[in-house]
C-alpha cells in the first residue's frame, strides 16, 4: 500500500493506493493547521481502512513549492515514515502534480501557485498524447502524457504574460485577482481551469509516485528537501540587545500567502 501526502497550501490531501487502485482519499481545507491536522487525519484514514502503518510499502509527498510551513509538514512526516518503516520515499513537485490533472489537455499547460508579493510559482508543460501517437505513448507508459518545458520559475504576472505566445491552459490554486489580471493581459490566449477542477488530489500524487517507482526511482529520506524556489521573507527584530540573539529570537516569518 502506498501513502501519498500533500500539505503544500491551505488545501491538504491524503490517499492510499494499492498498485493502480485507489483505496481511500481525503482532501480538505486545512488552513494553516497542517502540523496539527495531518497526523490526526492520517490516523483516521488508516483506521477507516482497517490498516496499520506497518502495512505501507511506500510513501510519497508533494515537496513544493507552496506554503513554506505547509510543505515542510508533508516532507517531514513522509521522511520519518520512510526511515522508520524502511520503505521507499518518492518526492513529487507540487507544480507537476497540478499539471498532471490536466495531462490530456490539447493545450500547453501552465501550473500556477500564488507566491505572494504579486508573484506566482509556475511550471510549464506540453501534452504529448496527440503529437507522439499511441506507439510512442505505449513505450513511455500510458500515464506519462506530458513533459515540463524549462525550469520552475517565480515570476510577476507581467513577466509571465510576456512569455505566453499561444493559447495556454492555466491551472492551480490562484486567487480571482490573479486570474483576472492574466485574463486582462492575455485575452484569448488564457484559458482557465475552474477552481474546483484545479484542486490537488493525493490520488494523482500516488499515481505519479507509482510511475517513478516503476522506473526504479526513489528519494533518500535523509537528503530529500522541500522545493523552495525562493527563501521565505524574514523580518529582523529592531529591539536593542546586549548580546547576539539566537536565530529564533531575531527573525519571524511573514504571514504566508499560499
Amino acid at each position: 500500500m502506498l501513502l501519498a501526502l500533500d500539505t503544500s497550501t491551505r488545501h491538504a490531501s491524503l490517499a492510499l493506493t494499492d498498485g493502480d487502485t485507489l483505496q481511500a482519499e481525503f482532501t480538505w481545507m486545512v488552513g494553516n493547521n497542517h502540523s496539527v491536522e495531518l497526523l490526526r487525519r492520517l490516523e483516521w484514514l488508516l483506521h477507516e481502512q482497517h490498516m496499520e502503518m506497518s502495512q505501507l510499502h511506500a510513501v510519497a509527498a508533494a515537496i513544493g513549492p507552496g506554503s513554506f510551513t505547509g510543505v515542510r509538514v508533508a516532507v517531514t512526516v513522509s521522511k520519518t515514515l520512510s526511515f522508520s518503516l524502511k520503505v521507499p520515499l518518492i518526492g513529487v513537485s507540487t507544480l507537476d502534480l497540478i499539471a498532471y490533472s490536466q495531462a490530456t489537455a490539447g493545450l500547453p499547460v501552465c501550473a500556477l501557485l500564488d507566491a505572494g508579493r504579486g508573484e506566482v510559482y509556475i511550471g510549464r508543460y506540453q501534452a504529448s498524447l496527440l503529437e507522439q501517437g499511441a506507439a510512442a505513448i505505449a513505450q513511455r507508459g500510458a500515464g506519462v502524457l506530458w513533459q515540463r518545458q524549462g525550469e520552475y520559475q517565480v515570476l510577476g504576472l507581467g513577466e509571465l504574460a510576456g512569455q505566453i505566445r499561444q493559447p495556454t491552459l492555466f491551472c492551480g490554486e490562484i486567487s480571482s485577482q490573479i486570474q483576472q489580471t492574466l485574463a486582462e493581459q492575455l485575452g484569448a490566449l488564457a484559458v482557465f481551469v475552474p477552481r474546483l477542477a484545479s484542486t490537488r488530489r493525493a490520488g494523482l500524487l500516488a499515481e505519479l509516485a507509482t510511475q517513478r517507482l516503476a522506473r526504479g526511482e526513489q528519494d533518500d529520506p535523509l537528503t530529500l528537501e522541500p522545493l523552495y524556489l525562493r527563501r521565505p521573507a524574514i523580518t529582523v527584530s529592531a529591539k536593542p540587545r546586549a548580546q547576539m540573539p539566537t536565530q529564533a529570537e531575531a527573525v519571524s516569518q511573514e504571514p504566508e500567502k499560499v
Side-chain angles (χ1 to χ4, degrees):
M1 196 73 68
L2 183 147
L3 168 66
L5 311 93
D6 178 5
T7 56
S8 301
T9 68
R10 291 190 173 97
H11 283 99
S13 189
L14 293 169
L16 290 167
T17 61
D18 186 6
D20 60 358
T21 302
L22 179 67
Q23 298 295 326
E25 184 179 64
F26 183 59
T27 302
W28 76 104
M29 176 68 80
V30 69
N32 292 321
N33 298 319
H34 309 85
S35 59
V36 175
E37 294 190 15
L38 180 62
L39 291 177
R40 186 174 64 197
R41 301 291 190 183
L42 174 56
E43 182 180 7
W44 171 83
L45 192 67
L46 290 169
H47 175 75
E48 289 295 305
Q49 294 301 304
H50 308 289
M51 284 185 57
E52 302 290 339
M53 288 284 192
S54 59
Q55 294 177 255
L56 298 176
H57 73 261
V59 184
I63 62 172
S67 157
F68 289 104
T69 300
V71 169
R72 277 201 305 273
V73 171
V75 171
T76 300
V77 170
S78 64
K79 290 172 64 169
T80 301
L81 290 174
S82 171
F83 186 78
S84 61
L85 297 174
K86 297 180 174 57
V87 298
L89 171 66
I90 305 94
V92 175
S93 162
T94 307
L95 291 171
D96 288 357
L97 172 57
I98 292 169
Y100 190 65
S101 66
Q102 312 300 324
T104 57
L107 294 174
V109 172
C110 184
L112 299 178
L113 281 172
D114 188 351
R117 302 180 231 167
E119 295 180 322
V120 285
Y121 301 115
I122 76 161
R124 297 177 65 180
Y125 305 80
Q126 180 67 55
S128 57
L129 176 62
L130 298 178
E131 296 176 2
Q132 296 188 2
I137 291 169
Q139 290 180 346
R140 295 177 58 205
V144 184
L145 304 179
W146 51 267
Q147 294 178 323
R148 178 161 53 88
Q149 308 294 304
E151 299 299 321
Y152 306 114
Q153 295 178 287
V154 185
L155 297 176
L157 297 181
E159 295 177 280
L160 172 58
Q163 293 185 1
I164 305 301
R165 297 288 185 269
Q166 59 182 318
T168 298
L169 185 68
F170 291 91
C171 55
E173 193 174 319
I174 58 173
S175 66
S176 299
Q177 182 179 1
I178 289 176
Q179 179 171 327
Q180 180 180 348
T181 300
L182 288 173
E184 290 173 351
Q185 296 189 20
L186 290 170
L189 295 182
V191 181
F192 295 94
V193 176
R195 187 166 299 178
L196 283 175
S198 284
T199 302
R200 300 184 319 283
R201 291 182 44 234
L204 294 180
L205 169 60
E207 186 173 337
L208 285 171
T210 298
Q211 291 172 17
R212 285 197 60 197
L213 280 173
R215 297 193 296 268
E217 301 172 5
Q218 59 180 283
D219 293 294
D220 187 338
L222 296 179
T223 59
L224 180 68
E225 295 292 338
L227 175 61
Y228 291 148
L229 299 184
R230 70 179 183 202
R231 294 176 61 84
I234 59 175
T235 303
V236 180
S237 173
K239 182 179 178 180
R241 295 180 182 270
Q243 58 184 11
M244 290 296 292
T246 66
Q247 183 180 17
E249 294 171 327
V251 301
S252 61
Q253 289 189 9
E254 277 190 346
E256 296 182 356
K257 302 297 185 181
V258 184

